[in-house]
Amino acid sequence: MPTQRLRLAIRGRVQGVGFRPFIWRTAQAEGLSGFVHNSGEGVTVELQGSSSQLAAFQLQLQQHLPPLAQIDSMQQTLLDPLPDEDGFEIRSSSGSTTQARLPADSATCPACLAELFNPADRRYRYPFINCTDCGPRYTVTHRLPYDRANTSMLPFLLCPTCRSEYQSPHSRRFHAEPTACPDCGPQLQLTDRFGIALNGDPLHGAWQILQMGRSIAMKGLGGFHLVCDATNPEAVARLRQLKHRPGKPLAVMALNVESVRAFCEVSPQEAAWLQRPERPIVLLQKKPEADQRMPDIAPGIAAIGVMLPYTPLQWLLFHEALGRPQGEQWREQACEQTWVMTSANLSGEPIVTSNQEARERLNKVADVFLLHNRSIVTRCDDSVMALQGGQPLFYRRARGFVPDPLPLADSGPDVLALGAYLKTTATVLRGNEAFVSQYVGDLDHPLSCEALEHTAQHLLDLTGVSPQAIACDLQPDSFSSQLAQQWSQQLGIPVLPVQHHHAHLAAVIAEHGLQGPTLGLALDGYGLGKNGGAWGGELMMLEGASCERMGHVTPLPLPGGDKAAREPWRMAVGLWHRLTGELPLPQHLSERPGLPMLLRQLETGLNCPDTTSMGRWFDAIAGLTGICPEQSFESEAAQKLEALAAPCAPLAGGWQVSAANLLDLTPLARQLLQLHDPVAIASLWHATLAHALADWAARAASTTGIRQLLLAGGCCANRQLLQGLLPLLRDAGLQVHTAHALPPNDGGLSLGQAWVARQRLLQGNAQQWR
C-alpha cells in the first residue's frame, strides 16, 4: 500500500491538556512516523504511513480525546512523503503563542483521586496532586506560552522522579506544568490569626477547628474560601455576623450527588453538571428537609447553591472528617458532612488571593488559616449556574469556564470592553472568538476597581490583542467607563460607549451568531437610557450596530433615587401613590416610621425620578407583600418573591399595550393591592407578567414582521418567570433566544458592548475589513 503524508493543523483546547502525548501514543500504536508540536495557533501534526493507518489514527482522534481537550477546527493537507523517516517524535514549540489557548482550571481527575487515597502511592494525601487531565491552569499562569517557567510553579524545582514523569510521553504528567509531589512541591500550613504556625498535621488541625463550630479561611485555586459546618446553626450565624452577610445565600459543598439528595432535588442533568470537570455551583431546589438541616444557609430562597469537591485539599477535608477511611467506596456513599464554602471576602470587596492579604483582611472573620505556598496568579471565583429547560442559566461565569472563548459567527477588528458597574467582566474580541473574563464583581470598592484593571490587562496579555477600540457603558461616572477613557488616551484608540440594554441584547446576538433584525425585551434593574432616564423594562429593535427603543413598561417613581432600589417598601409606596392612592395602603407599609416624609417627597416630586425598570417593579410587588422591606443584597426581594410563587391563572385584563408600545401593568397592580396573602400576590404577579410580556412581544412582532426575539437582563435569571414566558412566546411563533453561555445579567454585558463596538468599526471602515 503506498505511503502517504498528512499534515493536521488543529485549533481548540489542545495545549496544556495532554494532547501532544496522546498524539504521540496514538501514532506509535498505529505505526506512523512524523512529529507533533505546539504551534502559534494550536497543535501541528505530520503523519506518514498507509491510508489505512492514517484512517485508524483519525478515528482514534475523534473517539478518544484526552478529557480536557476540545478540537474546534482541523485543517488537513496532503504532503509529499519523506524518505527514510524513522519513528514519531514530540518536537519543541514553534512560532508565536498569541493565538494559542490557555485551558481553564479543572477538578481533580479520577486517576489522581485514586493515587491521592492510595497509601502505597508516593502522592498519598498530597494536597497538590494533578496531571494533564486536571488541576490549576488559568489561575497559576502569568503569561503564554503555557510553560512551568511562566506559572507560579517556577519556585518549585522538580525532583528526579517528578522530572522523569514530566519528560516521559508515556506518563499522564508529561508537561503537566503544575505537577509536583511532597518532596518538591507546595506545602500546607495552618496558622492562627497572627500568622503563627500551629503544630501538627494542618488538615487535622483545621478539622478540629470546624468541629468546634469555628471557621477557617482555606486557600483554593482562584482565591480563599471561608469554611464552616453548614449543619451547625451557631457556626453559620457567627460566620454571617463576622462577614457582614446577614441574608445573602451561602454556597455549600457536599461530598457527592447522593449526599446532596438528602436536602435538594437533583435531576439527572443537574447531577451531570455537578460532576463536570468545571465543578460549578449549581442552584438546586430545596427539599423540606433543607431548612431543617441547614436553617440559615438560604433563608427565604427556594434554592441552595451546591458544589462538589474539585481540589485535592477539599477532598482531603472530607477524608479527614470521615476518619480517613480506606478504599474508594466512601467517595460514593452518602455523607452528612456539609461545609459552607463561601468566597473569602468582606462585603463589597473582591475575593482574597494571597496569604498576607488573607491575614490582613480576614483576621476578624476566620479563626485559623489553612494556607499553602503556591501563589494564585489570577483571582477567579466559583462559577454559579442553574438549569432552565435543560439549558444552562449562568449567574456567574468564572472558574472552570474562563478563559475558554466563545465562538463568533464572523471575524472583525479586535476590541476590548470593560462592562458596567455591577457584576463586572471584561471581554476581548480576537478574530472570530470572544474571551470573556471571570466575574470581577461590583465596582463599589477600590480593590474591585483594581481587580478589573488587572483582569482586563491579563486578558489582553494572554490573547496578544492590541485593541482598535474600547467599549464601555453609557454611564460616564462608572469606574469602568473612566478606565476606558484613560486607556483610550494611552493607546490612542476610540472609546465607544454602548447603551446598557443595547449591550444586554447584543450579547445574545453575539452568542447565537444571529443575523438580520431582531426584537428584544431587556428586563433589567438599571441602565442609563439615551434620554438620561433610568431604563430597565424596554422593548427594542436591533440590527447591526443600531438599536431603537420601541416601547417600555409603565414608569414608577424612585422615591429617594438609589435608596429606593435598596428598600422595596419605598417602591411599594411609590406604586401605591402612582395609582392615586385610591386603595388602602397595606398595614405593614402604613406603619413604616419614614412614611410621612416619603409621601411628602412623592407629592413634591423631590428626588423622585421615574424609572421603567422591571427590576424595580419586582421590588415594588415584593414590597407589597412585606417579605423584604429592605434588601441586604441585590435582588433579595425578587428572589424571595420568586420563591413564594406557585402556578396559577393570569389576571384577565391585567395589562394593556398602547399603540405606542407601552406596557401598562397598573391594572394588575390594582388587583395585587387588594390581596393580603404574599403567596397569592407572588403567584398572580409572575403568571400575569409572563402573559403580559408575551402579548407585548407578539404585538411588536406582528407590527414589524420580525420573528427573532431576544431576552436579556437581570430579570431573565428568574426561572419562575422564564418557565411561564418562554412557552407563550414560542406558541406565538417567535424564535426566542436567551443567554446560555454567559449570564443574562451584567456578567454578560461586556460581550454585548464589544460586539456592538465591532459592528460600529465595521460600518465605519467597511472597505478596510471587507
Side-chain angles (χ1 to χ4, degrees), residues 257 261 266-276 284 308 387:
V257 172
R261 294 190 198 279
V266 187
S267 71
Q269 290 173 313
E270 289 167 334
W273 273 94
L274 282 169
Q275 298 174 92
R276 283 176 56 135
L284 301 173
L308 303 185
L387 287 179

Side-chain angles (χ1 to χ4, degrees), residues 65-102:
L65 279 179
L68 301 183
Q70 174 184 313
I71 295 177
D72 293 340
S73 66
M74 184 167 63
Q75 182 181 352
Q76 303 186 32
T77 306
L78 282 173
L79 306 172
D80 293 331
L82 297 180
D84 303 323
E85 184 176 56
D86 184 25
F88 192 91
E89 62 178 334
I90 297 176
R91 294 184 178 176
S92 301
S93 303
S94 69
S96 167
T97 60
T98 57
Q99 298 296 312
R101 184 188 301 180
L102 177 66

Side-chain angles (χ1 to χ4, degrees), residues 159-288:
C159 68
T161 307
C162 283
R163 179 160 296 282
S164 176
E165 295 172 338
Y166 181 84
Q167 294 174 340
S168 171
H170 293 284
S171 169
R172 75 175 197 282
R173 294 190 169 89
F174 176 76
H175 280 269
E177 307 305 345
T179 193
C181 75
D183 294 333
C184 63
Q187 301 294 322
L188 278 184
Q189 185 184 51
L190 189 68
T191 75
D192 65 12
R193 292 172 172 174
F194 304 102
I196 299 173
L198 302 177
N199 294 329
D201 179 83
L203 266 165
H204 185 69
W207 162 232
Q208 287 182 314
I209 292 292
L210 292 170
Q211 280 184 301
M212 295 165 57
R214 301 292 175 168
S215 60
I216 66 173
M218 185 167 75
K219 193 173 185 179
L221 289 183
F224 278 72
H225 285 108
L226 288 170
V227 187
C228 73
D229 185 349
T231 63
N232 183 332
E234 291 77 17
V236 175
R238 181 173 179 269
L239 179 61
R240 283 194 176 280
Q241 179 184 11
L242 294 174
K243 195 186 176 187
H244 308 300
R245 189 170 178 167
K248 191 174 183 179
L250 297 166
V252 301
M253 178 174 284
L255 177 62
N256 49 41
V257 172
E258 286 307 308
S259 304
V260 179
R261 294 190 198 279
F263 55 90
C264 283
E265 303 289 347
V266 187
S267 71
Q269 290 173 313
E270 289 167 334
W273 273 94
L274 282 169
Q275 298 174 92
R276 283 176 56 135
E278 296 91 342
R279 286 294 200 278
I281 296 172
V282 182
L283 298 185
L284 301 173
Q285 184 71 29
K286 287 179 181 176
K287 286 182 175 179

Side-chain angles (χ1 to χ4, degrees), residues 332-350:
E332 305 299 328
Q333 294 170 346
C335 168
E336 292 187 0
Q337 184 63 66
T338 311
W339 310 114
V340 167
M341 194 72 63
T342 187
S343 301
N345 64 325
L346 298 180
S347 181
E349 297 182 4

Side-chain angles (χ1 to χ4, degrees), residues 420-421 443 448-450 452-453 476-484:
Y421 176 71
L443 301 181
S448 298
C449 296
E450 290 179 16
L452 173 62
E453 191 166 0
D477 57 357
S478 169
F479 173 80
S480 56
S481 298
Q482 295 171 353
L483 180 62

Side-chain angles (χ1 to χ4, degrees), residues 232-458:
N232 183 332
E234 291 77 17
V236 175
R238 181 173 179 269
L239 179 61
R240 283 194 176 280
Q241 179 184 11
L242 294 174
K243 195 186 176 187
H244 308 300
R245 189 170 178 167
K248 191 174 183 179
L250 297 166
V252 301
M253 178 174 284
L255 177 62
N256 49 41
V257 172
E258 286 307 308
S259 304
V260 179
R261 294 190 198 279
F263 55 90
C264 283
E265 303 289 347
V266 187
S267 71
Q269 290 173 313
E270 289 167 334
W273 273 94
L274 282 169
Q275 298 174 92
R276 283 176 56 135
E278 296 91 342
R279 286 294 200 278
I281 296 172
V282 182
L283 298 185
L284 301 173
Q285 184 71 29
K286 287 179 181 176
K287 286 182 175 179
E289 298 88 340
D291 286 332
Q292 299 169 11
R293 178 175 173 174
M294 299 179 288
D296 202 27
I297 293 299
I301 308 297
I304 296 180
V306 183
M307 59 180 157
L308 303 185
Y310 57 86
T311 70
L313 183 55
Q314 292 162 356
W315 278 104
L316 287 168
L317 194 60
F318 280 103
H319 192 235
E320 193 71 30
L322 293 172
R324 302 191 181 186
Q326 299 295 310
E328 299 183 2
Q329 289 186 345
W330 67 273
R331 302 206 305 265
E332 305 299 328
Q333 294 170 346
C335 168
E336 292 187 0
Q337 184 63 66
T338 311
W339 310 114
V340 167
M341 194 72 63
T342 187
S343 301
N345 64 325
L346 298 180
S347 181
E349 297 182 4
I351 188 172
V352 170
T353 56
S354 75
N355 295 350
Q356 180 178 349
E357 185 184 28
R359 283 192 289 262
E360 291 173 352
R361 289 166 55 192
L362 303 175
N363 61 9
K364 294 183 179 179
V365 183
D367 294 286
V368 297
F369 295 79
L370 188 56
L371 309 173
H372 58 75
N373 56 340
R374 184 181 69 197
S375 297
I376 296 171
V377 174
T378 301
R379 177 182 284 108
C380 199
D381 230 320
D382 293 314
S383 296
V384 183
M385 53 87 68
L387 287 179
Q388 172 65 39
Q391 294 290 329
L393 173 61
F394 277 93
Y395 295 84
R396 187 167 74 199
R397 179 181 179 268
R399 179 191 49 75
F401 298 92
V402 178
D404 283 351
L406 276 61
L408 300 175
D410 300 298
S411 295
D414 294 344
V415 175
L416 168 67
L418 295 177
Y421 176 71
L422 298 176
K423 301 178 177 65
T424 309
T425 61
T427 290
V428 169
L429 299 191
R430 184 185 74 184
N432 63 350
E433 294 178 316
F435 294 84
V436 183
S437 80
Q438 69 275 24
Y439 164 91
V440 174
D442 301 345
L443 301 181
D444 54 1
H445 193 282
L447 292 174
S448 298
C449 296
E450 290 179 16
L452 173 62
E453 191 166 0
H454 175 271
T455 298
Q457 185 60 61
H458 189 53

